[in-house]
Each structure stands twice: as C-alpha cells, then as structure tokens.
Amino acid sequence: GAVVSQHPSWVICKSGTSVKIECRSLDFQATTMFWYRQFPKQSLMLMATSNEGSKATYEQGVEKDKFLINHASLTLSTLTVTSAHPEDSSFYICSAPPAGEIYEQYFGPGTRLTVT
Amino acid sequence: AQTVTQSQPEMSVQEAETVTLSCTYDTSESNYYLFWYKQPPSRQMILVIRQEAYKQQNATENRFSVNFQKAAKSFSLKISDSQLGDTAMYFCAFMKHGTSGSRLTFGEGTQLTVNP
C-alpha cells in the first residue's frame, strides 16, 4: 500500500517556541491532507483539512493562527504549532487520500509533541 | 453532521476466541462508507475492513467480518480466532460518499485486549 511519512516522530520544545511537523506522501500525490490531534486513550479529532495550493479549512474551535498549515506541493503538508504551550502537548497524525481515490486514506505514523 | 458511537470503551477476549465490537452511527446520507481501523501500541492507524453502504453483503477480510445493519445504523466488527497481535484500540469511522478527499468521522474507540 501507499506510504505516508511524518517528521519528526517525536519532538520536545520549550513553551513559547514554534515547532513544524511535516507530512509527506511518498509514492502518490495528494491534493488534500488531513491533520488530527489525539490525546491519550482518546479518539482522533480532526483539526483541519489541508488543500494543495489554497488555504486550509479549520474545524470549529481550532485556532488557525496557532496551528498554521501549508500544503505547498502535492506530496507535502506542514503543520506549525506557534507559541506552543504545555496544553498543546499531544499526538498529531496526518492522513492523505491519493488524488482521485474516493475512499482510500493512508495515515502517517504520528508525531508526539511534548511542550515543557 | 455525522456522529459515530462506540459504547464499549474496553473489551477483553481469550486467545482463539471470538469477540464482537459494537458501533452505531447517525447520518442523513444515503450513500457512505464505514470503516474499522486498528491502532496498536505503535499508534500507526491500520485499516481493518471497509463497507460500502450500497452493498447489502457484509464485508469480510480473513478473520474479520462485519455485521452491517443499514436501517438500524449499526456496524459491528467480529474478530474470529483472536490473536495476541489483535490487541489494539479499534475505531469505527464514517465517510460520506463523494469526490476524492472526504473526511473521516471517528467513534470514541474500543480498547481490545487479547489474553493468552
């Protein structure tokens, strides 16, 4: 099956700094990518939909100025957590449906963010 | 808006036995897809099985099968001959039928433990 990678897999940053997480589709193109947040023992909560070449669509309650999303190419989307605080510590997962596929989606392995 | 409900936060089963995980959903859509995903301790999301709503026949994948009751909006997962490697969090998910890149709506998850 298709592969989605995320980098880094684990990052620790200090409160007030920014951190960037990359999501790459390695062997297919994706015009759309999804960013989820998952707290321990909880479900995946959709944060935003990343659209190649246009602005991301954010879910209600997600601060677009805090979670900056850029989908600059058909294989790369980035999520930047700006001015991170300890409450932003979480597991961030991206998924990507191959362009033209109706229901297939491939998930990245996730990024664990710890803000100290 | 769609909602997905998993009423069993935790379940356990003995190795080699059969277990059924429950899922109900609510939607006004007539055409959609339903999924079961597995998230083992590595936290990588893995597709277990998919069901197209327009198909009456229940999907099966080796030891995994579903009981899809469209009128009741129920979509349970049966795991036969449970194996230790089946220990994971299982998420039921809904996707509207549409163009490429439709979002997934997840249930709360069921933590399944397979005991030796």
Side-chain angles (χ1 to χ4, degrees):
Chain A
V3 178
V4 173
S5 70
Q6 280 185 243
H7 178 80
S9 57
W10 192 3
V11 58
I12 301 173
C13 70
K14 293 191 175 181
S15 187
T17 63
S18 296
V19 61
K20 181 186 287 188
I21 301 169
E22 293 185 348
C23 176
R24 291 183 185 272
S25 56
L26 298 186
D27 47 5
F28 65 94
Q29 294 183 333
T31 55
T32 301
M33 291 185 177
F34 299 98
W35 286 96
Y36 298 88
R37 184 173 182 175
Q38 186 181 32
F39 290 108
K41 297 190 178 183
Q42 293 189 23
S43 187
L44 283 71
M45 297 302 297
L46 181 65
M47 298 175 65
T49 302
S50 170
N51 302 299
E52 189 267 337
S54 65
K55 291 184 178 180
T57 304
Y58 291 83
E59 295 300 301
Q60 192 172 9
V62 176
E63 299 175 61
K64 62 180 67 175
D65 294 331
K66 181 170 186 61
F67 297 99
L68 301 180
I69 289 173
N70 184 284
H71 194 149
S73 77
L74 288 171
T75 58
L76 173 65
S77 176
T78 59
L79 168 67
T80 302
V81 183
T82 63
S83 186
H85 292 287
E87 56 266 31
D88 298 324
S89 298
S90 189
F91 194 67
Y92 293 86
I93 301 173
C94 71
S95 74
E101 290 282 347
I102 298 298
Y103 49 68
E104 291 290 350
Q105 284 201 28
Y106 300 99
F107 285 82
T111 296
R112 182 187 302 276
L113 170 63
T114 301
V115 184
T116 61
Chain B
Q2 286 68 231
T3 59
V4 179
T5 303
Q6 294 177 249
S7 58
Q8 306 152 314
E10 296 180 356
M11 293 193 72
S12 63
V13 64
Q14 291 299 121
E15 195 175 6
E17 298 199 339
T18 296
V19 64
T20 299
L21 309 183
S22 301
C23 172
T24 58
Y25 59 95
D26 190 24
T27 184
S28 57
E29 303 287 332
S30 59
N31 206 1
Y32 49 87
Y33 305 98
L34 295 164
F35 306 81
W36 279 98
Y37 283 91
K38 166 184 176 180
Q39 188 180 42
S42 68
R43 303 190 81 169
Q44 173 72 58
M45 294 289 284
I46 301 167
L47 176 65
V48 175
I49 200 164
R50 177 183 62 237
Q51 174 80 43
E52 290 91 342
Y54 63 86
K55 290 187 177 178
Q56 293 187 337
Q57 186 172 8
N58 290 323
T60 62
E61 284 288 341
N62 301 313
R63 298 183 295 108
F64 300 89
S65 62
V66 298
N67 184 2
F68 173 49
Q69 302 289 327
K70 191 172 184 179
K73 295 181 181 174
S74 170
F75 182 61
S76 61
L77 173 70
K78 185 170 84 170
I79 306 175
S80 304
D81 186 25
S82 297
Q83 300 176 358
L84 296 178
D86 295 333
T87 292
M89 181 76 92
Y90 286 81
F91 293 102
C92 179
F94 174 99
M95 178 190 287
K96 277 171 46 176
H97 176 78
T99 56
S100 176
S102 294
R103 56 185 290 173
L104 285 162
T105 301
F106 289 93
E108 305 91 334
T110 297
Q111 175 63 50
L112 176 67
T113 302
V114 180
N115 298 307

